[in-house]
Amino acid sequence: MRPFLVELRGYVGAALTATLGPDAAGADPEISRSKDGKHGDYQCNAAMGLAKRLGLKPPELAQRIIDALPPAALAMVEKPGIAGPGFINFRIKQACLEAAIDVITSTTDDARLCIEPVAKDDALTVVVDYSSPNVAKEMHVGHLRSTIIGDTIARVMDFQGHRVIRQNHLGDWGTQFGKIILALWHLCMARRQGETVADFNRLADELSRLAKSPLEAKRALLQARRDIHQENLSSDPTGDEFHKYIENLEPSFEILLPAYRYVNALEEAAQGTDLTVTDAQTGETYPLSGVSRYVAAMLQGKAGRDNKQELAAWKKAKDATLRECNAIYRRLGVLLTDDDICGESFYEPLLPGTIAELRTVLTNVDGQTGEIRAVCRDDKGAACVFLEKTDGTPAFKGAQGDPLPMLIQKSDGASLYATTDLAATLYRTHHTTTHPYSQRTASLSEVLSKPPFNGGLGADRIIYFVGFPQKLHFEMLFATVDALGWLHKEDREIRLEHVSFGSVLGEDRKMLRTRAGDSVKLKALLEEAVQRAEALVRASESDPEKRRGFTESEIQEIAETVGIGSVKYADLCQNRSTDYTFSWDKMLALQGNTAPYLLYAYARIRSIYRKGAEALSRTGHGRVTLDHPAERALAMRVLQLAEVVEMVSDLLLPNFLCDYLYDLAGKFMSFYESCPVLQAGDEGTKASRLALCDATARALKIGLGLLGIRTLERM
């Protein structure tokens, strides 16, 4: 069943062509839902813009469009009217509306509300990049928006029938992993001194307090820690003890994070000192403040020695992180799995070839046709991509007005964040058959064709859900990829989109943090949400007038569903481009545009339907009638779910779906107040209204499901 909006677009588009001929080529029919139902169900705004371009008066052109509408349009809508400066108002005929809602209510087992998926030829391969936590770091409230907004869009596009490939770009490579591995090494060696996790927390606190102190104030502690470090290095020069420890270790954040804090605090406090440690195997000496950089080099295979211990430790830290993240994903109802992880380390084999390809292809701007051109050249020993406009001026400038390049390789040969993103884009856009790209670098083609890359994903659209501060990075990345020619398919252009979002603020309108000033951990936030929801349920159950007689397991289920749903909905109902203030009272309220309100509305509708199920079993399904304006308004809103799904997919704004669900629930309340259901005057009317209740509940359930929010049959 095609949505009315889609049908009207086709009819008005045909009328424009019939009226204006070639002048209407590519013209947008500009059909949208009417904000005021008094004027109609939909309105067309095309006449205003086109009339000015063609030298006509908007009302005159609007009448021509109406006169040229095909017969099928006039069978669907009442006689169109012209309002204001040239708006065309359309009202769906009662018979068409009743027939459409009757199709839905006749298929009670339809989980799609008769919404058709996109045609096979129109289905796209869409890569959705979201969440992206870092190894050995707890997910915090800053990860919330990327994770749930990305998950919603992935669900919506799945629902539409597109081939959605989820990608969790895990931060699992780079210099910070020297600190992670070093933390695990300290945990291993701590057994010699009888030190515990609590000792690492104490030492980290003490070192942090001393970090900015004069050298004399901290030398004694630093010297003691340096001596312990050196003694432990010398006692296990080949790392065999460390390797055995790692093999048997099942690390958790409870033991890893304190040691990681200790390494950070120790190296920061040791800055500017002459304290060093010596590798007992190679004899090389390193500053105490930079041991982690040496360990990172071993991880990346640049130190010329066996790094099996470092790689094993890195993998254990990664596994511990994934266990923690997966527990949060499950609680959030997010569909990411380990199969979706393509972290920074995944692209490591592609990096040398990617850098070589940039150097080979982007030697000059000759042949580049984009609005921004790119040239790759060395600058102070680093490989950089310089981006310029068509007139040769810099496309991006630094604080002093100098050309701002995108760095792809440091002078020491190390790759960067941008390098990995370029390799990731190549993997995601390239496909051996649907989108082959002839690389100039033979080694890059060879690596890309083999496992784990297997020729690439062949995406038609790539969507990155990353915060607003990365806007510049993505602008430069997309311009570079375009200059390389990776986005041009035979029949279409590959779309790259950076979907940014604002921050989560506290009641003081500053970044949401704990009283200690730390980022609020996502795990703790979700736990508190469930606890608060449980307290509300128990308070209600203790009131004799509100008591529903829930069992203990039902209370737990309601608390979990309402608590998690409230956190997610409070975020998703905001325009993602803006900051929003986190408020427990608002998000858990039973009134207003909140998850509890919608969950209660759904549960209430299901309760009404269950009570009237006997009437349906006696009368069977009859034709739905929409005699009351509230019945008509509710039916129309139910039928507009498909239009809203399309809008969310196009604009990548989940708040439109939230607004729809809130409006739908409100229209149901108006319907229920105006149109008795269980006390309807006759069995036919009761059956019709019960069917409308069922359709509304199904629309709410589908919509909340697309937001990743479960529903409750009782609440």
Side-chain angles (χ1 to χ4, degrees):
M1 185 172 65
R2 285 160 60 87
F4 293 130
L5 181 63
V6 174
E7 297 281 6
L8 280 172
R9 281 178 186 157
Y11 296 147
V12 173
L16 287 171
T17 301
T19 302
L20 304 175
D23 289 328
D28 184 352
E30 294 191 50
I31 307 292
S32 61
R33 172 176 167 258
S34 295
K35 295 181 180 179
D36 189 344
K38 295 178 182 178
H39 303 303
D41 300 312
Y42 297 93
Q43 69 180 41
C44 170
N45 302 336
M48 271 83 76
L50 287 172
K52 183 177 181 180
R53 193 175 84 189
L54 299 173
L56 299 172
K57 294 181 179 180
E60 178 186 349
L61 179 56
Q63 188 59 55
R64 290 190 188 182
I65 293 171
I66 292 173
D67 293 340
L69 286 170
L74 300 178
M76 188 178 80
V77 300
E78 297 173 3
K79 183 178 179 180
I82 301 173
F87 300 112
I88 304 174
N89 290 323
F90 298 102
R91 184 177 295 278
I92 304 298
K93 285 184 175 179
Q94 187 81 351
C96 287
L97 186 57
E98 289 180 345
I101 198 68
D102 202 51
V103 170
I104 291 175
T105 57
S106 298
T107 53
T108 56
D109 61 341
D110 176 30
R112 296 187 58 86
L113 215 64
C114 297
I115 298 173
E116 297 177 1
V118 296
K120 186 176 180 181
D121 291 343
D122 295 329
L124 303 177
T125 297
V126 184
V127 170
V128 184
D129 180 328
Y130 65 106
S131 195
S132 305
N134 294 304
V135 166
K137 293 184 180 179
E138 291 183 276
M139 291 181 72
H140 53 76
V141 71
H143 292 105
L144 177 66
R145 305 208 76 181
S146 170
T147 302
I148 63 175
I149 296 172
D151 190 63
T152 294
I153 298 302
R155 287 172 182 267
V156 165
M157 292 187 170
D158 255 336
F159 183 80
Q160 287 185 300
H162 298 296
R163 177 182 174 239
V164 176
I165 301 174
R166 294 168 171 81
Q167 296 277 271
N168 193 349
H169 195 78
L170 189 69
D172 66 350
W173 204 246
T175 55
Q176 75 271 29
F177 290 94
K179 294 182 180 180
I180 295 168
I181 296 165
L182 195 55
L184 288 171
W185 181 80
H186 279 297
L187 283 171
C188 171
M189 295 301 165
R191 299 173 301 171
R192 295 171 175 270
Q193 296 86 242
E195 291 180 334
T196 66
V197 169
D199 291 321
F200 281 121
N201 270 325
R202 176 183 54 78
L203 286 165
D205 290 340
E206 190 172 354
L207 287 164
S208 296
R209 286 195 300 270
L210 293 172
K212 303 300 182 183
S213 302
L215 178 59
E216 295 76 17
K218 58 186 178 181
R219 176 173 284 280
L221 179 58
L222 287 173
Q223 184 68 54
R225 300 314 300 176
R226 178 266 168 206
D227 291 346
I228 290 172
H229 192 135
Q230 185 63 64
E231 181 182 344
N232 288 333
L233 272 177
S234 301
S235 67
D236 185 30
T238 60
D240 290 340
E241 181 182 346
F242 180 43
H243 195 201
K244 290 177 183 177
Y245 172 78
I246 290 297
E247 282 185 332
N248 298 315
L249 179 67
E250 288 298 330
S252 65
F253 274 16
E254 284 72 19
I255 65 168
L256 180 56
L257 294 181
Y260 184 60
R261 284 186 63 228
Y262 166 73
V263 172
N264 274 303
L266 178 64
E267 293 198 346
E268 183 179 357
Q271 292 287 337
T273 70
D274 57 359
L275 296 172
T276 61
V277 294
T278 301
D279 188 315
Q281 186 177 13
T282 66
E284 295 181 79
T285 298
Y286 302 94
L288 184 63
S289 61
V291 177
S292 63
R293 290 193 293 275
Y294 168 59
V295 176
M298 287 191 287
L299 171 66
Q300 296 175 348
K302 298 171 184 174
R305 56 176 279 184
D306 183 6
N307 59 1
K308 63 181 181 180
Q309 296 94 341
E310 289 72 32
L311 287 171
W314 165 78
K315 187 176 186 307
K316 284 296 179 77
K318 182 176 177 179
D319 290 345
T321 302
L322 293 180
R323 283 197 297 273
E324 190 79 6
C325 292
N326 286 337
I328 291 175
Y329 293 150
R330 286 193 298 271
R331 194 161 205 188
L332 276 172
V334 168
L335 299 180
L336 284 171
T337 69
D338 286 354
D339 291 338
D340 303 316
I341 293 170
C342 284
E344 294 169 338
S345 63
F346 177 81
Y347 300 104
E348 186 73 9
L350 288 174
L351 299 187
T354 299
I355 295 169
E357 186 77 0
L358 287 162
R359 290 183 179 278
T360 302
V361 177
L362 302 181
T363 55
N364 54 60
V365 298
D366 294 345
Q368 297 184 31
T369 58
E371 295 182 2
I372 298 179
R373 289 122 188 238
V375 176
C376 181
R377 64 174 182 267
D378 287 346
D379 185 67
K380 298 179 182 178
C384 304
V385 174
F386 286 86
L387 298 149
E388 60 184 44
K389 301 176 184 177
T390 54
D391 62 2
T393 59
F396 303 96
K397 297 179 182 180
Q400 304 302 319
D402 299 327
L404 182 66
M406 183 171 71
L407 273 66
I408 59 169
Q409 189 177 42
K410 294 181 181 179
S411 58
D412 63 1
S415 57
L416 295 107
Y417 182 62
T419 327
T420 303
D421 267 358
L422 283 164
T425 306
L426 175 61
Y427 166 66
R428 293 167 178 179
T429 56
H430 187 275
H431 190 274
T432 306
T433 55
T434 63
H435 184 220
Y437 167 74
S438 299
Q439 289 88 23
R440 306 270 190 89
T441 308
S443 61
L444 181 59
S445 296
E446 183 179 1
V447 173
L448 189 59
S449 66
K450 295 179 179 178
F453 307 108
N454 299 317
L457 301 177
D460 300 299
R461 187 179 184 186
I462 307 175
I463 311 172
Y464 300 81
F465 289 88
V466 184
F468 182 79
Q470 294 298 321
K471 180 176 182 290
L472 175 62
H473 165 74
F474 282 106
E475 287 177 348
M476 300 176 83
L477 174 71
F478 295 170
T480 302
V481 171
D482 186 47
L484 285 163
W486 293 353
L487 303 182
H488 312 296
K489 284 191 174 183
E490 290 184 2
D491 58 340
R492 62 170 72 108
E493 290 289 305
I494 299 171
R495 292 169 62 183
L496 303 183
E497 298 164 88
H498 170 215
V499 181
S500 60
F501 42 83
S503 300
V504 184
L505 308 179
E507 298 282 2
D508 58 358
R509 297 294 299 168
K510 297 179 180 179
M511 296 288 286
L512 184 63
R513 295 188 180 278
T514 65
R515 291 182 179 179
D518 301 322
S519 296
V520 175
K521 301 299 183 283
L522 192 48
K523 181 178 180 180
L525 183 79
L526 299 180
E527 187 59 41
E528 183 172 355
V530 173
Q531 290 173 356
R532 286 174 176 263
E534 182 180 342
L536 292 174
V537 177
R538 292 193 185 280
S540 179
E541 282 294 278
S542 65
D543 186 337
E545 295 183 2
K546 298 180 180 179
R547 181 175 173 79
R548 301 293 180 90
F550 293 123
T551 65
E552 184 62 27
S553 62
E554 286 176 324
I555 289 174
Q556 296 297 329
E557 181 187 7
I558 294 170
E560 187 75 18
T561 302
V562 172
I564 301 300
S566 295
V567 170
K568 295 181 72 172
Y569 191 87
D571 191 302
L572 294 168
C573 74
Q574 310 291 330
N575 185 315
R576 59 168 170 75
S577 62
T578 62
D579 300 338
Y580 76 92
T581 301
F582 190 92
S583 168
W584 289 116
D585 291 340
K586 290 181 180 179
M587 70 175 57
L588 289 167
L590 270 171
Q591 295 81 34
N593 191 9
T594 66
Y597 172 75
L598 293 176
L599 291 170
Y600 178 73
Y602 173 81
R604 185 181 183 188
I605 296 169
R606 295 301 300 151
S607 175
I608 294 167
Y609 186 79
R610 285 192 298 271
K611 291 176 182 177
E614 183 180 347
L616 286 181
S617 66
R618 289 196 306 269
T619 63
H621 176 268
R623 183 171 178 79
V624 175
T625 56
L626 306 172
D627 298 327
H628 193 282
E631 291 175 308
R632 187 188 191 283
L634 179 59
M636 176 60 73
R637 205 62 178 125
V638 168
L639 290 163
Q640 288 171 335
L641 175 60
E643 302 167 11
V644 176
V645 168
E646 181 184 355
M647 187 186 307
V648 172
S649 175
D650 288 343
L651 302 178
L652 306 176
L653 291 169
N655 61 291
F656 282 119
L657 180 54
C658 297
D659 293 342
Y660 164 82
L661 295 172
Y662 180 52
D663 186 50
L664 177 64
K667 282 185 167 49
F668 175 81
M669 296 305 179
S670 297
F671 154 78
Y672 189 66
E673 291 172 1
S674 304
C675 305
V677 177
L678 300 178
Q679 305 301 323
D682 58 78
E683 291 295 309
T685 301
K686 180 188 290 187
S688 172
R689 290 175 178 173
L690 281 170
L692 194 52
C693 288
D694 182 56
T696 305
R698 285 156 56 202
L700 283 170
K701 186 170 186 175
I702 290 171
L704 287 168
L706 292 175
L707 298 174
I709 297 174
R710 293 184 300 151
T711 51
L712 294 161
E713 295 299 307
R714 292 182 67 221
M715 182 174 161

